Amino acid sequence: MFDDKLKEECGVFGVYNNNEFDTSRLTYYGLFALQHRGQESAGIAVNNKGTILYRKEMGMVSEIFDDVVLDYLKGHSAIGHVRYSTTGESYAENAQPLVIKYTKGHMAIAHNGNITNAGKIKKELEEQGTIFQTTSDTEVIAALLSRIRIKYSTIEDALREVMTIIKGAYSLLIMTPNKLIAARDPLGMRPLVIGKKEDSYVFSSESCAFDSLGIKFIRDVEPGEMIVVNNEGIKSIQTEVPKKSASCIFEYIYFARPDSIMDGIEVYSARYQAGIVLAKEHPVEADVVVGVPDSGLAAAHGFAHALGIKYVGGFMKNRYVGRTFIQPSQEMRELGVHMKLNPIRSQIEGKRVVMIDDSLVRGTTSKKIVNLLKAAGAKEVHVRISSPPVKHSCYFGIDTPERKNLIAGNMSIDGIKDLIGADSLGYISNEGLLSTCKDGKRDYCMACFNGKYPMDVDDEEEK
Ligand code: AMP
């Protein structure tokens, strides 16, 4: 396990164009569409005729970049990154892309995921004299790659070896003075797609960034695949044929945008289907169904449809408050929920309400919302959750707290029901959730629910 237990949720976007020199604007808009994947810092690096120029800062994409900055960031290729990590590790040095200079030249790296053996690799490199400036595992990849690169004539060959050493989840974009390289880990844990717009090749964490920018979706980058774009065109290198894939199912439940299609499955449809399955597994007599905005809405529609109960817009959401998890302390987190959501009394008062949310992690959100619904006059509040109980930490890039803070890791369902003040509580089953993604091309990592990690995670908590 990485010493600092750094957990990052991120999005990456990259463009390569032989003719056009203004790739940073497309990257800016791409990052804007991926903002939900990380609101803490953002950055863009461009390749300006062999020199890498970049700007990265704490803050949202629209706060960091303006026309002046984008005019400065001119280049034939660009990579960008949005990032959110847990409190404590949130400082500007960890912002990406990471730009490094080494014996073979320059490169910029943007990474989404978590390298589970980064701590071990870092220690070995430090013992050999490597100096690290950040606590980010991306720097470990960069250090390893630049060291291994010395013995190879191409960066692709060096990266191929690096991919046999690093373990965990990674969707990587690497920009050198003459190439743009995309790589996805052998299990395909985090998403990565490729598209085309005129003569630009584009990579993105999610396809939602393509739709609004007129970029044609080509396909997902395959697990274990490396794609290289340069002035000769595009080529695919399969680095290690995966015996199995383990795409993160939590991307479908919560993290990704509903309009994205990942590994053949539209996120909205998977969530809607989860609502239908949940209704079959935990039916209830009620007057109205409400969804917790935004990630609970699709499942709430599915649930209401399946049981023929009226769906109502139960909450007004203040769109200008960031995700509740961004608040550092528990007190701020609790305040944050009400600042963000307010029940619409006329839809709730005197009614038996089913409240659907996508997940219960610490239990903070549901407890607060059940309270708000009761205060707005709900006669009964039945909570239904469109993911199974989260019992285990994620080591692959989703920000779940340590096991001791996971409510379902420590309490029975009945105990949780009482704690959040619900009249009943039902979670979708593991099999039910899996059935919502059955038409996809992949197998899934469900370790946060079933504790079956697709690789060793070397954590005392889990032993
Ligand atoms: P909690 O309040 O700790 O039980 O967290 C559950 C709420 O947070 C749900 O409403 C989810 O939509 C949301 N959520 C779940 N996972 C995450 C995550 N990794 N980052 C931010 N928010 C999340």
Side-chain angles (χ1 to χ4, degrees):
M1 195 53 229
F2 195 30
D3 318 326
D4 306 275
K5 286 214 172 185
L6 187 73
K7 293 178 178 182
E8 297 184 310
E9 295 173 345
C10 308
V12 296
F13 193 90
V15 183
Y16 185 97
N17 188 314
N18 243 339
N19 311 313
E20 182 65 48
F21 207 44
D22 189 8
T23 48
S24 64
R25 275 197 168 68
L26 194 58
T27 307
Y28 166 80
Y29 288 116
L31 291 182
F32 196 70
L34 296 176
Q35 186 77 80
H36 62 286
R37 296 188 69 87
Q39 303 89 30
E40 193 183 75
S41 69
I44 296 176
V46 296
N47 169 26
N48 184 308
K49 298 180 179 153
T51 304
I52 293 180
L53 308 174
Y54 65 97
R55 170 80 175 243
K56 55 180 180 177
E57 263 180 49
M58 304 297 283
M60 308 277 274
V61 177
S62 60
E63 294 163 357
I64 299 171
F65 300 98
D66 56 21
D67 274 334
V68 177
V69 178
L70 293 173
D71 282 342
Y72 163 73
L73 292 174
K74 286 265 188 288
H76 284 300
S77 54
I79 61 173
H81 189 265
V82 287
R83 172 178 187 273
Y84 163 60
S85 82
T86 46
T87 336
E89 295 98 10
S90 55
Y91 39 85
E93 293 82 68
N94 277 339
Q96 297 193 32
L98 183 70
V99 178
I100 63 156
K101 207 172 172 187
Y102 68 118
T103 49
K104 300 268 182 173
H106 289 73
M107 68 177 149
I109 303 189
H111 166 218
N112 172 210
N114 231 49
I115 305 300
T116 50
N117 61 345
K120 190 165 158 270
I121 299 170
K122 186 177 182 179
K123 194 160 167 278
E124 283 167 15
L125 290 172
E126 277 174 336
E127 279 164 8
Q128 293 161 31
T130 308
I131 295 167
F132 287 91
Q133 295 186 7
T134 74
T135 58
S136 147
D137 52 359
T138 310
E139 194 181 6
V140 177
I141 303 175
L144 191 63
L145 183 59
S146 53
R147 175 172 286 246
I148 289 179
R149 173 78 174 85
I150 296 167
K151 58 178 191 185
Y152 289 106
S153 60
T154 69
I155 191 162
E156 296 90 299
D157 287 338
L159 183 58
R160 188 199 288 261
E161 183 175 331
V162 167
M163 287 170 75
T164 64
I165 300 171
I166 56 175
K167 305 272 176 267
Y170 51 91
S171 284
L172 277 178
L173 294 180
I174 300 176
M175 184 177 72
T176 71
N178 50 22
K179 287 174 192 164
L180 178 60
I181 301 173
R184 197 171 174 198
D185 67 75
L187 293 175
M189 297 191 92
R190 304 259 76 87
L192 190 62
V193 291
I194 173 165
K196 193 152 195 249
K197 184 182 167 80
E198 288 139 26
D199 44 6
S200 292
Y201 282 103
V202 187
F203 297 96
S204 172
S205 290
E206 289 184 42
S207 67
C208 65
F210 289 174
D211 300 338
S212 48
L213 297 172
I215 298 166
K216 192 174 166 298
F217 174 86
I218 300 180
R219 64 174 174 87
D220 299 275
V221 176
E222 292 296 312
E225 186 184 23
M226 189 196 303
I227 296 182
V228 185
V229 196
N230 62 10
N231 60 9
E232 288 165 11
I234 185 163
K235 75 171 178 222
S236 159
I237 303 171
Q238 188 65 37
T239 56
E240 188 182 322
V241 180
K243 286 175 210 65
K244 55 169 189 173
S245 54
S247 297
C248 168
I249 207 155
F250 210 77
E251 290 272 354
Y252 295 91
I253 295 164
Y254 169 77
F255 202 47
R257 242 172 66 162
D259 50 339
S260 286
I261 298 172
M262 298 183 315
D263 292 323
I265 299 195
E266 186 196 64
V267 174
Y268 180 88
S269 305
R271 290 185 188 169
Y272 187 89
Q273 191 56 33
I276 293 178
V277 174
L278 191 54
K280 284 191 188 131
E281 292 185 343
H282 299 283
V284 58
E285 284 201 11
D287 304 310
V288 292
V289 174
V290 298
V292 178
D294 292 304
S295 40
L297 297 181
H301 279 289
F303 190 96
H305 173 78
L307 291 184
I309 306 175
K310 191 175 164 203
Y311 173 90
V312 296
F315 300 97
M316 178 58 211
K317 178 175 174 180
N318 183 335
R319 308 227 160 249
Y320 310 101
V321 179
R323 286 184 170 184
T324 48
F325 268 55
I326 292 169
Q327 315 298 335
S329 68
Q330 184 69 10
E331 193 194 347
M332 283 303 287
R333 233 180 248 131
E334 283 182 29
L335 231 187
V337 175
H338 200 179
M339 279 170 67
K340 193 156 106 175
L341 293 178
N342 202 22
I344 297 176
R345 184 171 274 275
S346 65
Q347 305 299 306
I348 306 296
E349 200 163 18
K351 310 255 171 60
R352 294 170 301 169
V353 178
V354 188
M355 177 199 115
I356 313 277
D357 203 358
D358 64 282
S359 59
L360 249 162
V361 182
R362 296 177 180 85
T364 320
T365 309
S366 283
K367 185 175 176 197
K368 193 83 196 172
I369 296 177
V370 170
N371 258 325
L372 293 174
L373 289 170
K374 292 234 159 144
K379 218 159 59 182
E380 292 168 16
V381 179
H382 301 275
V383 175
R384 295 292 179 271
I385 304 291
S386 59
S387 64
V390 179
K391 293 184 177 170
H392 307 271
S393 280
C394 176
Y395 299 99
F396 310 112
I398 295 287
D399 170 31
T400 40
E402 287 175 31
R403 189 152 185 211
K404 64 175 190 294
N405 294 321
L406 291 170
I407 196 166
N410 299 286
M411 278 180 116
S412 68
I413 294 187
D414 226 34
I416 301 171
K417 175 198 86 131
D418 291 341
L419 186 105
I420 65 174
D423 293 280
S424 72
L425 170 64
Y427 287 89
I428 197 171
S429 64
N430 286 346
E431 307 70 48
L433 175 66
L434 206 50
S435 74
T436 67
C437 290
K438 69 176 185 312
D439 295 333
K441 302 182 273 184
R442 311 274 182 242
D443 293 327
Y444 296 93
C445 173
M446 296 183 48
C448 51
F449 308 122
N450 63 15
K452 290 187 190 148
Y453 293 93
M455 65 187 79
D456 281 351
V457 289
D458 190 22
D459 188 340
E460 285 308 314
E461 269 193 349
E462 292 294 339
K463 287 181 179 159

